Every structure is written in structure tokens, then in C-alpha cells.
Amino acid sequence: MSKFRRNRPDLHWPPRSDEEMLAWQRAVGTDLEIARLLGLSRASIYGQRIKFGLPSLPRKKRACVRKRRLGNQITRAAMDRLYAGRRYEDWDRRELVPRLREPSAMPAGSQG
């Protein structure tokens, strides 16, 4: 943020023309960056930009997410403890899921 303060002294808020709003965009950046610099809401910056009919600057790419290290992955034993020995592949096995059992295995009173 300190790099923006060098460019700020000749700029006034709110801008009085579209050239001043363009100068803010060139000096500081997006609506969010201008809002952070001035301590205002992003909506107020957006309102000023729309008043002069200026397009928004393109969004910056999101920061790269830190890659997962090998030590952070859950082990097979820990997964077995967590899910009581069940695995996702087991959910379609008829003997483990009551609603998928054969009709003959259901109690006599529950049939149609």
C-alpha cells in the first residue's frame, strides 16, 4: 500500500471528472484497492466510477493456493479409524446399506 501513497498527493476524492477517476485507476488500481487506500466502501468507489461511465479494471488473478505436502495427507489407517472401517466404494454393497437389501431379507410386514 505504501507504493500507492506516492501517487496520491495530486489526486482528490471524490473525482470531479472522468479524467480524475481514470487517474485514480491508473495510480491505484481496482475499485477495491482505491477503497482500501481511502478507507471507504467499495460501493462508494463503484458509484463514482459509474457516475462517469467508466468500465471497471479487470480483476487480478487469485493468489496461488499452497500445494499440499505429502505429510498432510491422511493415512489409510487414520481414514479407517475415522469412518469405522467403511470406504466410499462400500456404499453400493447390498449387505452394508439397508435400503439396497434384497426384498427377501426385509421383514414380512414391510412389503407393499
Side-chain angles (χ1 to χ4, degrees):
M1 220 151 99
S2 60
K3 66 179 181 177
F4 300 136
R5 294 195 188 281
R6 290 189 300 248
N7 300 327
R8 187 174 173 203
D10 58 339
L11 300 174
H12 303 283
W13 190 261
R16 290 179 283 277
S17 66
D18 56 342
E19 289 87 20
E20 283 188 25
M21 190 65 203
L22 276 172
W24 272 100
Q25 285 183 331
R26 270 187 250 111
V28 180
T30 62
D31 293 353
L32 180 62
E33 291 168 335
I34 295 171
R36 284 181 178 161
L37 178 69
L38 295 173
L40 299 172
S41 69
R42 192 175 54 122
S44 62
I45 310 302
Y46 170 82
Q48 291 294 322
R49 186 174 51 76
I50 292 302
K51 180 169 80 172
F52 298 116
L54 295 175
S56 64
L57 294 177
R59 285 183 165 183
K60 294 188 175 185
K61 286 181 68 173
R62 294 187 78 171
C64 183
V65 178
R66 185 169 53 104
K67 303 287 186 260
R68 187 190 304 198
R69 292 182 293 176
L70 289 176
N72 290 347
Q73 295 176 353
I74 189 168
T75 63
R76 173 78 75 193
M79 199 177 302
D80 286 344
R81 279 195 311 273
L82 184 63
Y83 293 108
R86 295 185 303 266
R87 292 196 176 85
Y88 287 113
E89 297 86 332
D90 294 343
W91 291 117
D92 62 341
R93 290 178 44 197
R94 293 186 180 278
E95 67 271 8
L96 295 178
V97 182
R99 62 184 165 81
L100 292 179
R101 287 185 187 150
E102 298 297 325
S104 62
M106 293 185 146
S110 66
Q111 292 180 350

